[in-house]
């Protein structure tokens, strides 16, 4: 009997479903919500309503394109947390109902663990133990990964996540949401040393990104007083300088963690791992320190159900199921 699992992801503003069969991802269907663009950020209530609209069509397409019938499914997996409570509730409720109707087990998945296990969807795959820099709009963490389901957070942000710093900076610059990818795009043609921003140095392996957000706010305020066109005339250089500073903060802690734990298998995960500047910095660091660096495909960096399916596969093999009384957790630890 093959192990066929339908996975559902609904933690924020992407509705996604995927089917995995014996550890092989068969598809990865994603419906992105554009309703948030005019508000400059994700509106939780609108996100949960959009999940209700998208979930059944997305699941239908995932099953139809996989060639697997509902009756052939071994389990239903879903994101339990962390995430927006309303969005999580939509996915959890649907998964529970479908699993109950089919009489098959439920698998609850930690969204942050799934981001890390996205590295096992395709070759090349990291060897254990490895360190993963998980960077997204909601999280910035350094995770020591000893096995598929054995992970320890060894460093994390004390305030804003790096993705939040990117998006809030973009908003200050008048760029539309989501602003992180736009900063990356403009940075490619800018001078990363044009403007200097403070690098927060926290104890141990902790991060802090609230300071640079405030620094950018005052920097723009002061320069706009002297030149109302300052942002327009210097957009590429501002983006490049901010991105350089944020990546420097990430790389400093990553280097420190790699030395402290004597590990040269390094991975990145989460939405910000799609940033071209960060990817380039990791290439440079791999040459300098002799690291083996693993970067997932772009489609597996942002929120998606394929990573949920991969995590569920390893949980299925260990018999880690949950009951119908399971509830979502907005703040779920690894």
């Amino acid at each position: 009997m093959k192990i066929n699992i339908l996975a559902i992801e609904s933690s924020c503003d992407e509705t996604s479903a995927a089917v995995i069969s014996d550890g092989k991802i068969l598809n990865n269907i994603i419906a992105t919500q554009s309703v948030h663009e005019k508000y400059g950020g994700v509106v939780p209530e609108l996100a949960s309503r959009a999940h209700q609209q998208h979930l059944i069509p997305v699941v239908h397409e995932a099953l139809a394109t996989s060639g697997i019938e509902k009756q052939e499914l071994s389990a239903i997996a879903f994101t339990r947390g962390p995430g927006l409570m309303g969005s999580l509730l939509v996915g959890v409720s649907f998964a529970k109902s479908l699993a109950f109707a089919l009489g098959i087990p439920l698998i609850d998945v930690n969204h942050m663990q799934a981001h890390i296990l996205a590295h096992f969807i395709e070759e090349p795959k990291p060897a254990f133990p490895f360190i993963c820099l998980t960077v997204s709009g909601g999280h910035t963490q350094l995770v020591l990964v000893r096995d598929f389901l054995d992970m320890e957070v060894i460093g994390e942000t004390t305030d804003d996540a790096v993705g939040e710093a990117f998006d809030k900076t973009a908003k200050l610059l008048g760029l539309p949401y989501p602003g992180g990818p736009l900063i990356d795009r403009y940075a490619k043609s800018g001078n990363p040393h044009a403007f200097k921003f403070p690098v927060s140095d926290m104890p141990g392996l902790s991060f802090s990104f609230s300071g640079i957000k405030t620094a950018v706010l005052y920097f723009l305020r002061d320069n706009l007083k002297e030149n109302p066109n300052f942002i327009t005339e210097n957009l590429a250089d501002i983006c490049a300088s901010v991105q350089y500073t944020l990546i420097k903060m990430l790389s400093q802690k990553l280097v420190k963690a790699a030395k402290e734990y004597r590990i040269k298998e390094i991975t990145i995960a989460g939405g910000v791992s799609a940033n071209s500047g960060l990817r380039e910095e990791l290439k440079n660091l791999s040459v300098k320190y002799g690291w083996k660096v693993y970067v997932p495909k772009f489609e597996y960096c942002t929120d998606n159900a394929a990573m949920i399916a991969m995590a569920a596969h390893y949980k299925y093999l260990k018999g880690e199921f949950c009951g119908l009384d399971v509830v979502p957790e907005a703040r779920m630890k690894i």
Side-chain angles (χ1 to χ4, degrees), residues 93-124:
S93 300
F94 183 89
K96 286 160 74 169
S97 300
L98 186 56
F100 179 75
L102 295 174
I104 55 178
L106 268 175
I107 303 174
D108 59 322
V109 172
N110 183 304
H111 182 84
M112 301 311 295
Q113 281 190 327
H115 267 306
I116 296 169
L117 294 177
H119 286 282
F120 295 93
I121 294 175
E122 294 181 352
E123 298 287 348

Side-chain angles (χ1 to χ4, degrees), residues 114-166:
H115 267 306
I116 296 169
L117 294 177
H119 286 282
F120 295 93
I121 294 175
E122 294 181 352
E123 298 287 348
K125 300 173 183 178
F128 299 112
F130 63 87
I131 290 175
C132 184
L133 174 63
T134 310
V135 280
S136 67
H139 298 83
T140 301
Q141 296 177 332
L142 283 167
V143 183
L144 175 61
V145 186
R146 300 184 183 90
D147 204 347
F148 295 111
L149 301 175
D150 183 3
M151 304 179 188
E152 177 189 353
V153 176
I154 56 176
E156 60 186 331
T157 182
T158 57
D159 41 59
D160 292 351
V162 68
E164 189 177 355
F166 270 112

Side-chain angles (χ1 to χ4, degrees), residues 109-110 113-114 117 149 306-316:
V109 172
N110 183 304
Q113 281 190 327
L117 294 177
L149 301 175
M307 67 182 194
I308 304 300
M310 185 55 64
H313 172 74
Y314 292 113
K315 292 195 77 171
Y316 187 98

Side-chain angles (χ1 to χ4, degrees), residues 119 124-127 129-132 254 258 263-268 282-283 285-295:
H119 286 282
K125 300 173 183 178
F130 63 87
I131 290 175
C132 184
L254 181 57
I263 289 176
K264 294 195 174 184
E265 295 274 320
I266 306 295
T267 70
I268 56 171
L282 281 174
K283 282 183 186 177
L285 292 173
S286 69
V287 173
K288 184 176 181 179
Y289 295 105
W291 294 349
K292 285 185 179 179
V293 172
Y294 302 85
V295 183

Side-chain angles (χ1 to χ4, degrees), residues 13-292:
D13 62 339
E14 264 97 18
T15 312
S16 183
V19 176
I20 186 171
S21 181
D22 283 347
K24 181 182 178 182
I25 297 293
L26 302 183
N27 51 33
N28 188 31
I29 313 301
I30 302 173
T32 302
Q33 302 174 7
S34 58
V35 66
H36 309 284
E37 292 175 7
K38 61 182 177 180
Y39 299 102
V42 177
V43 181
E45 178 62 27
L46 295 180
S48 56
R49 290 180 187 178
H51 283 306
Q52 289 178 315
Q53 295 172 339
H54 295 160
L55 190 52
I56 291 177
V58 163
V59 168
H60 175 77
E61 186 174 349
L63 287 171
T65 57
S66 71
I68 292 174
E69 300 292 331
K70 292 194 295 290
Q71 293 73 21
E72 297 176 278
L73 291 173
S74 309
I76 307 295
F78 62 93
T79 302
R80 183 178 182 181
L84 301 174
M85 183 57 79
S87 296
L88 291 168
L89 275 167
V90 175
V92 173
S93 300
F94 183 89
K96 286 160 74 169
S97 300
L98 186 56
F100 179 75
L102 295 174
I104 55 178
L106 268 175
I107 303 174
D108 59 322
V109 172
N110 183 304
H111 182 84
M112 301 311 295
Q113 281 190 327
H115 267 306
I116 296 169
L117 294 177
H119 286 282
F120 295 93
I121 294 175
E122 294 181 352
E123 298 287 348
K125 300 173 183 178
F128 299 112
F130 63 87
I131 290 175
C132 184
L133 174 63
T134 310
V135 280
S136 67
H139 298 83
T140 301
Q141 296 177 332
L142 283 167
V143 183
L144 175 61
V145 186
R146 300 184 183 90
D147 204 347
F148 295 111
L149 301 175
D150 183 3
M151 304 179 188
E152 177 189 353
V153 176
I154 56 176
E156 60 186 331
T157 182
T158 57
D159 41 59
D160 292 351
V162 68
E164 189 177 355
F166 270 112
D167 285 338
K168 286 183 176 177
T169 296
K171 194 170 184 178
L172 292 172
L173 293 171
L175 299 176
Y177 177 85
L182 293 175
I183 287 183
D184 187 21
R185 187 189 309 168
Y186 286 115
K188 291 176 182 176
S189 59
N191 176 8
H193 305 291
F195 306 107
K196 187 168 179 146
F197 296 103
V199 175
S200 301
D201 188 15
M202 300 294 288
L205 298 175
S206 297
F207 300 92
S208 173
F209 298 101
S210 61
I212 186 172
K213 179 186 64 180
T214 306
V216 171
L217 174 66
Y218 291 143
F219 166 80
L220 294 176
R221 182 198 64 183
D222 295 342
N223 282 280
L224 286 169
K225 282 180 183 177
E226 298 178 12
N227 177 10
N229 298 317
F230 178 76
I231 292 178
T232 305
E233 294 172 2
N234 298 277
L235 183 58
D237 286 346
I238 297 169
C239 289
S241 299
V242 171
Q243 180 163 291
Y244 170 82
T245 306
L246 290 171
I247 290 173
K248 186 176 180 180
M249 284 192 250
L250 293 172
S251 61
Q252 284 180 344
K253 295 297 183 179
L254 181 57
V255 169
K256 187 174 183 179
K259 288 180 178 178
E260 189 174 320
Y261 287 88
R262 299 180 182 179
I263 289 176
K264 294 195 174 184
E265 295 274 320
I266 306 295
T267 70
I268 56 171
V272 181
S273 65
N275 181 279
S276 63
L278 179 57
R279 287 173 175 239
E280 187 62 31
E281 174 68 1
L282 281 174
K283 282 183 186 177
N284 297 334
L285 292 173
S286 69
V287 173
K288 184 176 181 179
Y289 295 105
W291 294 349
K292 285 185 179 179

